[in-house]
């Protein structure tokens, strides 16, 4: 369900409100009933359609409570499968991610909702919602119209689905986006805006009696206009049916009218007021045809009215519309024809057409949905524009050395601009087929796309020569009068009745000035009158009246029309003349405000206008009559009459070239048609094609695509119709200005219609059409790198070509080989190319042979056959030079240079690449600049490989400049990729690298390439971190963080939160660090990956652990976060690592009790790991904790345990250093703490041995000093004492010399 309750399929507008106004302010709403219970659509009054059967007494006012109007509404969407009617969760998630990407730069979304006449306030991407608001009633009117027609969901499809979605035709057919709005809020906002903008219209839901003299009495279902006049509890109300004005209680139950009705009744309804309009009760249906029985005797009346007796059978001519006053009927007794008042008849053998939704004739429907007559040659010409390719004349550049960014189709198939035979596209015209004049007005040329081609008729022509002397002779006018004096209508008369006055210059030629034509016709009128040429006289008077009305001489026109009316009134042999005469005279009466004369004539004119199918308009003034009838339909609540009037008004507006004014009526016609078809699943009218063309003309491309998507297949279920739609799609998409979109490309949305056309082409006798359709589809799919599908279609095209034998086989086979190359199938491509090469020697010239040789060289290169590739490339060069085609010469030289570069040749690559570059620079064609960029990049790579860095840099930068000059984003990206790699890996210039990465970032954002953007943001963040510019690094990190959040990339998001926290730590903003770390951990928890969560906790703790401040905060991340997760996952190594860090941390913080606890736990874990090294480290840390805890015996014991786990042979200097330090620590403990000199001496001797391995003189000096002290003061041994003293002195001398060495 979309929008208001009345906007849903099968539901008219009806939401009911009861309100009290005090001091001009709405402060109380008793009840708001939305039309949410309407499941049975039948054309009834708005209140009846809701099934309301309660009296208004049930709706008491209650106590006034102030009610605020909503300021916004919520629009939500859901991706559903139309066949199963269930939500497609995968596509829903894809659309959500796409919306998250667009949310950060929401200009595309804002532009879309601006096109839909809504104002975007915010986006709730994770909840699949948009928050919208409206400032005027017109905005709500347009938006709800688009909502009700299903355009909003279709527009969101173009926004939220990527290009690959549109290439899957079966998916496109089955998937739709269904949208919903908050109906109550939208309804209340609508009411609020209506109250602000002045008088508005409602329908009364119950009889209102007159209580006071100034009150007004109103019947149920009356339409009224309400106006706030400042009285507390009453409106000023004016009945539209009786024109009575008085006061109406605010509490009266009323239905607020749909916005279209509000607009029409304010702007177009005028002030025409007839008799009270009531629904005809004896005709239960609104429209029908057949026979009726007269219920009264009717013998008196005007000449054009039928006389009949009671019980007489009357055949209805055309339609009977029950809410009109008159119908046109023919007496089955007398055979006479005339107007009959509908109230004087009752149905007999009466076929009701409303049940079959036939408010238009078949011909009228066809005028809405039919394209021009299918033309086989036109189809061929259109397909040629889709299949144009230079594949058989222009060489292809081998790009396998460069990263493929842009689709190779850009250098491959170049679709040229449309030829003169390109299918025109414009607004749709509304004209009927049989006996209906064509629209030749210059204003309506844009509508000819939808107008059936006219039949070629032999039209009589009459020359007007006022200078001819024989004009006084009546015989001069005989041919004209003889032609005009026919009683019956003939097709040649149609020019007299059309809007464009086409009889001037065609039937009547020789003069162009209207004064001369008037003079000539006046003379012909006198002759016709004199010789009693009754029909010629009346038709000439009609033409004179039309010409006078055109010149705004309405009084004179009235005279002529009344004169003609006296001649033909009561005769119905030429209904076109009678209709035109009645309608024009009624229009003139309305212009001259002659209400007494106009009322009856307007009613009869309305019958002729609406009840006779395929009406031919003759005056723009007929709009005034249609406005009156549409107002009558609204008052009578007759939706079928309303639909027929909207059809005629749409048709008339298009014929006079006023498409802007036609649009509301065409939209309303489609809205009504959709509602009619909601129950039977048959939509009687489909004007979506016309709406699409009109939106396209108004530069509303999203709406144009949406309307085109909703056009029923039956409306254009032909080969030509499908091709016409594809062409319209290309025209529309070209206006969307998507980044990177090239006008020569076929948009993906056209795939649906091209495939429909291909399925319809099987029945076409001309197989060229079928072949070209497959070629166009292959061309489309290869543009978007869907090479498998492209190969399938091109293979079908090749198979058909074999049967045709028109010379197109070479081009198609060559394209097929190129597709295989693009799909990395060089073996198949080589087979095709070799067969082409054999055939081209006899049947094709040097251009074709050169193309094959060049492509074969690329294929052989991919196969690794470089020698054979070089031979073919040389053949291609010679063929290009023979033909003198510079472009081919440049490509061939470039390909040869690239091949020799692969062969590691020293000089040839430079020679051929420079030759190619020189040729390119001599050519003025800007479209070749992308190829020039490729050559420069290849040449730059050659120089870099040879160590010529400066030459390489110049070529890379020149490539970037040319790409920027040509405004080619993809070529710029290629050049930037090479430059960034060059400065980063070759020159190691990070500053210059940063500049190019920043430009690359800007291009990625233009292309909406989020993956590349995130990579570059990450690189820039780390670059600035290395520059110590943490603020800029933080900015890039936060940009990436937004992307990760939008795309739901929780792993990356958690890492970005962590990095941002680290940057804040480096910036010394400690109050934010823990906040960001916690956000990182919470995001990681959403992944439910315990290892990842543990890693994040440990990394957060490491930042504090390794930092200069607030180290104690690391404990919570280690102990409360990482350690439990390590245990849950059974990661013993991680748990051991964490306990070691906790031990060290608590030692640094002098928390020895906790350090001892963690050290013991680490030892226990290390034993279970089976790693001797980890066990050794754990025992060493435990010994250190005991040492700091002054438990020296335990410390000695665990130091020795750690030493026992060491290898027996020293394996490195670092290991010897470890031994020395441990033995020194043991010596100090035993000497000073345990008072065991002998053990101390032993430890010091072992330390001395380890120090000797290191050969560190300072360490040796320190140990010798300690040993000399022991042997002097603790263990008296003069010899050893003297020995170590002498060594110490020698070492001291050497140290002194080293210290003071100049």
């Amino acid at each position: 369900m979309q929008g208001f309750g009345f906007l849903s399929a099968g539901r008219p507008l009806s939401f009911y409100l009861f309100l009290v106004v005090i001091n001009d302010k709405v402060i109380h709403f008793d009840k708001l009933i939305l039309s949410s219970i309407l499941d049975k659509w039948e054309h009834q009054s708005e209140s009846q359609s809701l099934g309301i059967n309660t009296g208004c007494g049930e709706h008491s006012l209650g106590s006034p409570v102030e009610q605020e109007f909503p300021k916004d509404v919520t629009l939500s969407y859901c991706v559903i499968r139309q066949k199963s009617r269930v939500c497609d969760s995968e596509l829903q998630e894809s659309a959500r991610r796409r919306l998250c990407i667009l949310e950060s730069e929401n200009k595309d979304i804002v532009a879309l909702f601006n096109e839909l006449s809504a104002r975007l306030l915010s986006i709730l991407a994770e909840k699949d919602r948009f928050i919208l608001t409206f400032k005027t009633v017109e905005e709500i009117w347009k938006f709800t119209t688009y909502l009700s027609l299903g355009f909003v969901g279709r527009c969101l499809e173009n926004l939220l689905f990527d290009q690959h979605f549109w290439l899957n035709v079966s998916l496109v057919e089955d998937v739709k986006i269904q949208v919903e709005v908050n109906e109550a809020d939208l309804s209340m906002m609508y009411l609020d805006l209506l109250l602000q903008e002045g008088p508005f219209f409602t329908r009364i839901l119950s009889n209102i009696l007159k209580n006071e003299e100034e009150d007004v009495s109103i019947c149920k279902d009356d339409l009224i206009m309400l106006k706030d006049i400042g009285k507390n509890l009453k409106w000023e109300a004016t009945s539209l049916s009786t024109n009575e004005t008085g006061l109406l209680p605010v509490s009266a139950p009323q239905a607020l009218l749909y916005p279209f009705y509000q607009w029409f009744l304010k702007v177009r309804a005028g002030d025409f007021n007839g008799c009270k309009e009531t629904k005809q009760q004896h005709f239960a249906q609104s429209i029908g045809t057949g026979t009726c029985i007269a219920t009264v005797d009717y013998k008196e009346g005007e000449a054009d009215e039928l006389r009949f007796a009671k019980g007489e059978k009357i055949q209805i001519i055309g339609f009977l519309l029950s809410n009109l006053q008159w119908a046109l009927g023919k007496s089955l007794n007398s055979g006479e024809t005339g107007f009959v008042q509908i109230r004087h008849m009752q149905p007999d053998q009466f076929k009701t057409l409303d049940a079959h939704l036939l408010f238009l004739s078949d011909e009228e429907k066809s005028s809405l949905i039919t394209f021009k007559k299918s033309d086989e040659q036109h189809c061929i010409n259109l397909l040629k524009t889709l299949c144009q390719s230079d594949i058989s004349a222009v060489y292809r550049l081998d790009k396998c050395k460069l990263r493929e960014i842009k689709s190779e189709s850009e250098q491959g198939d170049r679709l040229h601009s449309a030829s003169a035979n390109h299918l025109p596209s414009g607004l749709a015209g509304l004209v009927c087929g049989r006996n209906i004049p064509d629209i030749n007005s210059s204003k309506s040329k844009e509508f000819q796309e939808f107008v059936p081609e006219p039949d070629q008729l032999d039209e009589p022509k009459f020359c007007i020569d006022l200078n001819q002397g024989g004009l006084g002779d009546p015989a001069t006018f005989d041919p004209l009068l003889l032609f005009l004096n026919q009683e019956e209508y003939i097709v040649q008369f149609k020019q007299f009745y059309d809007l464009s006055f086409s009889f001037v210059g065609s039937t009547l030629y020789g003069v162009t000035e209207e004064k001369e034509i008037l003079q000539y016709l006046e003379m012909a009128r006198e002759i016709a009158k004199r010789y009693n040429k009754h029909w010629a006289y009346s038709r000439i008077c009609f033409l004179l009246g039309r010409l006078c009305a055109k010149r705004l001489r309405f009084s004179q026109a009235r005279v002529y029309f009344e004169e003609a009316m006296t001649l033909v009134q009561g005769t119905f042999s030429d209904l076109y003349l009678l209709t035109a005469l009645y309608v024009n005279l009624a229009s003139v009466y309305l212009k001259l405000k002659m209400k007494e004369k106009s009322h009856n004539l307007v009613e009869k004119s309305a019958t002729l206008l609406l009840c006779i199918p395929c009406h031919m308009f003759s005056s723009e003034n007929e709009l005034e009559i249609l406005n009156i009838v549409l107002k009558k339909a609204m008052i009578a609540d007759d939706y079928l009459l309303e639909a027929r009037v909207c059809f005629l008004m749409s048709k008339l507006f298009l014929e006079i070239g006023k498409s802007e004014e036609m649009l509301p009526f065409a939209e309303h016609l489609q809205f009504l048609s959709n509602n009619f078809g909601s129950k039977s699943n048959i939509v009687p009218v489909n004007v979506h094609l016309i709406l699409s063309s009109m939106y396209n003309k108004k530069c509303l491309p999203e709406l144009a695509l949406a309307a085109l998507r909703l056009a029923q297949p039956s409306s254009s279920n032909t080969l030509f119709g499908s091709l016409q739609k594809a062409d319209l799609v290309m025209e529309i998409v070209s206006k969307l200005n998507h980044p990177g979109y090239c006008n020569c490309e076929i948009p993906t949305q056209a795939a649906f219609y091209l495939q429909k056309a291909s399925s319809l082409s099987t029945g076409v006798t001309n197989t060229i059409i079928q072949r070209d359709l497959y070629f166009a589809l292959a061309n489309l799919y290869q543009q978007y790198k869907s090479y498998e599908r492209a190969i399938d279609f091109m293979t079908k095209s090749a198979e058909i070509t074999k049967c045709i034998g028109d010379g197109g086989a070479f081009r198609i086979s060559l394209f097929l080989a190129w597709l295989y190359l693009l799909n990395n199938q060089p073996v198949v491509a080589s087979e095709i190319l070799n067969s082409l090469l054999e055939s081209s020697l006899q049947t094709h010239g040097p251009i074709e042979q050169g193309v094959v040789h060049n492509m074969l060289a690329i294929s052989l290169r991919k196969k690794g056959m470089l020698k054979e590739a070089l031979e073919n490339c040389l053949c291609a060069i010679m063929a290009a030079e023979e033909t003198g085609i510079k472009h081919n010469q440049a490509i061939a030289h470039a390909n040869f240079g690239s091949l020799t570069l692969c062969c590691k040749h020293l000089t040839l690559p430079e020679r051929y690449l420079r030759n190619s570059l020189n040729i390119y620079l001599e050519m003025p064609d800007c479209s070749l600049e992308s190829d020039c960029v490729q050559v420069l990049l290849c040449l730059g790579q050659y120089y870099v490989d040879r160590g010529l860095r400066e030459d390489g840099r110049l070529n890379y930068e020149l490539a970037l400049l040319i790409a920027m000059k040509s405004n080619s984003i993809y070529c710029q990206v290629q050049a930037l990729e090479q430059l960034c790699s060059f400065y980063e890996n070759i020159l190691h210039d990070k500053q210059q690298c940063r500049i190019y990465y920043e430009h690359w970032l800007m291009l990625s954002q233009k292309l909406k390439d989020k993956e590349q953007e995130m990579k570059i943001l990450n690189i820039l963040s780390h670059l600035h971190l290395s520059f110590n510019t943490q603020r800029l690094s933080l900015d890039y990190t936060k940009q990436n963080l937004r992307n990760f959040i939008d795309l739901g990339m929780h792993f990356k998001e958690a890492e970005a939160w962590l990095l941002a926290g680290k940057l804040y730590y480096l910036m010394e903003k400690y109050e934010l660090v823990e906040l960001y770390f916690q956000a990182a951990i919470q995001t990681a928890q959403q992944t439910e990956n315990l290892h990842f969560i543990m890693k994040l906790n440990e990394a957060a703790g490491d930042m504090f652990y390794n930092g200069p401040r607030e180290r104690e905060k690391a404990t919570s991340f280690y102990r409360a976060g990482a350690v439990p997760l390590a245990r849950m996952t059974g990661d013993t190594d991680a748990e051991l690592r964490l306990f070691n860090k906790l031990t060290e941390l608590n030692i640094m913080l002098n928390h020895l009790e906790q350090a001892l606890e963690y050290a013991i736990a680490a030892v226990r874990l290390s034993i279970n790991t089976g790693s001797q090294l980890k066990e050794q480290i754990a025992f060493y840390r435990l010994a250190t904790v005991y040492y700091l805890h002054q438990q020296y015996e335990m410390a000695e014991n665990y130091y020795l345990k750690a030493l026992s786990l060491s290898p027996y042979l020293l394996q490195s200097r670092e290991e010897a250093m470890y031994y020395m330090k441990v033995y020194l620590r043991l010596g100090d403990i035993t000497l000073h703490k345990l008072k065991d000199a002998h053990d101390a001496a032993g430890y010091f001797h072992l330390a001395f041995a380890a120090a000797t391995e290191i050969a560190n003189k300072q360490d040796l000096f320190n140990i010798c000093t300690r040993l000399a002290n022991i042997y002097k003061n603790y263990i008296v041994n003069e010899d050893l004492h003297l020995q170590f003293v002498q060594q110490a002195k020698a070492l001291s001398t050497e140290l002194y010399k080293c210290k003071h060495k100049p």
Side-chain angles (χ1 to χ4, degrees), residues 463-477 516 519-520 523-524 527 530:
C463 181
I464 301 175
D465 187 0
L466 297 178
N467 297 321
Q468 184 178 349
L471 286 178
D473 184 2
T476 307
F477 294 94
E516 295 175 333
Q519 184 180 349
Y520 179 82
M523 296 170 66
I527 300 296
R530 184 188 313 166

Side-chain angles (χ1 to χ4, degrees), residues 95-342:
R96 187 180 297 121
R97 286 198 301 271
R98 173 83 172 158
L99 182 59
C100 288
I101 292 172
L102 295 171
E103 185 180 7
S104 56
E105 295 181 7
N106 64 356
K107 61 180 181 180
D108 290 339
I109 307 175
V110 171
L112 170 62
F113 280 105
N114 284 343
E115 191 169 320
L116 293 172
S117 293
R119 300 168 188 250
L120 181 67
L121 293 180
S122 62
I123 304 169
L124 304 177
E126 291 300 323
K127 297 181 179 180
D128 305 329
R129 293 177 184 173
F130 303 92
I131 307 301
L132 310 175
T133 191
F134 306 91
K135 299 299 182 184
T136 64
V137 171
E138 183 181 4
E139 288 180 359
I140 285 191
W141 168 30
K142 289 183 178 180
F143 177 77
T144 51
T145 298
Y146 304 145
L147 196 65
S148 66
L149 294 177
F151 294 164
V152 176
R154 296 302 184 183
C155 287
L156 287 179
E157 289 173 11
N158 290 323
L159 180 76
L160 299 179
F161 292 151
D162 60 17
Q163 290 180 332
H164 294 288
F165 167 82
W166 300 104
L167 295 176
N168 190 335
V169 173
S170 60
L171 196 63
V172 171
E173 285 184 306
D174 190 32
V175 170
K176 68 176 286 189
I177 289 183
Q178 183 172 286
V179 297
E180 292 184 0
V181 298
N182 187 315
E183 297 180 357
D185 287 348
L186 187 57
S187 304
M188 297 299 294
M189 186 177 290
Y190 174 45
L191 173 61
D192 183 25
L193 293 173
L194 279 175
L195 291 171
Q196 293 177 33
E197 293 191 6
F200 59 95
F201 298 87
T202 64
R203 188 181 297 280
I204 291 296
L205 301 180
S206 61
N207 293 323
I208 305 297
L209 301 178
K210 188 173 183 180
N211 295 326
E212 299 179 11
E213 184 178 350
E214 58 183 3
D215 287 353
V216 63
S217 178
I218 300 178
C219 296
K220 182 182 178 181
D221 293 334
D222 270 0
L223 279 187
I224 60 171
M225 181 180 74
L226 294 179
K227 182 178 180 182
D228 184 5
I229 56 174
K231 294 200 173 185
N232 289 342
L233 299 176
K234 290 191 177 182
W235 301 105
E236 180 184 271
T238 302
S239 171
L240 271 63
S241 58
T242 63
N243 205 32
E244 294 180 7
T245 301
L247 299 183
L248 180 73
V250 171
S251 58
Q254 304 158 51
L256 198 59
L257 293 186
Y258 181 70
F260 170 80
Y261 301 135
Q262 301 282 351
W263 165 78
F264 177 82
L265 292 171
K266 282 184 181 180
V267 177
R268 303 198 62 91
D271 59 354
F272 181 86
N273 298 292
C275 299
K276 180 177 175 65
E277 305 292 350
T278 57
K279 189 175 179 69
Q280 301 290 340
Q281 297 300 323
H282 56 282
F283 279 97
Q285 287 77 28
S286 295
I287 185 171
T289 187
T291 60
C292 294
I293 299 293
T295 58
V296 296
D297 291 329
Y298 194 81
K299 300 300 182 182
E300 296 181 0
E302 296 183 10
D304 57 358
E305 296 173 12
L306 184 65
R307 276 74 173 170
F308 50 82
K310 183 177 180 180
E312 191 172 328
K313 284 192 175 183
I314 300 172
Q315 175 70 45
I316 300 299
I317 298 175
F319 297 131
L320 181 148
L321 291 164
S322 63
N323 279 297
L324 295 181
Q325 184 178 346
W326 298 91
L328 194 62
K330 179 180 180 180
S331 172
L332 296 182
N333 292 348
S334 64
E336 295 180 353
T337 300
F339 288 101
V340 185
Q341 293 192 51
I342 295 175

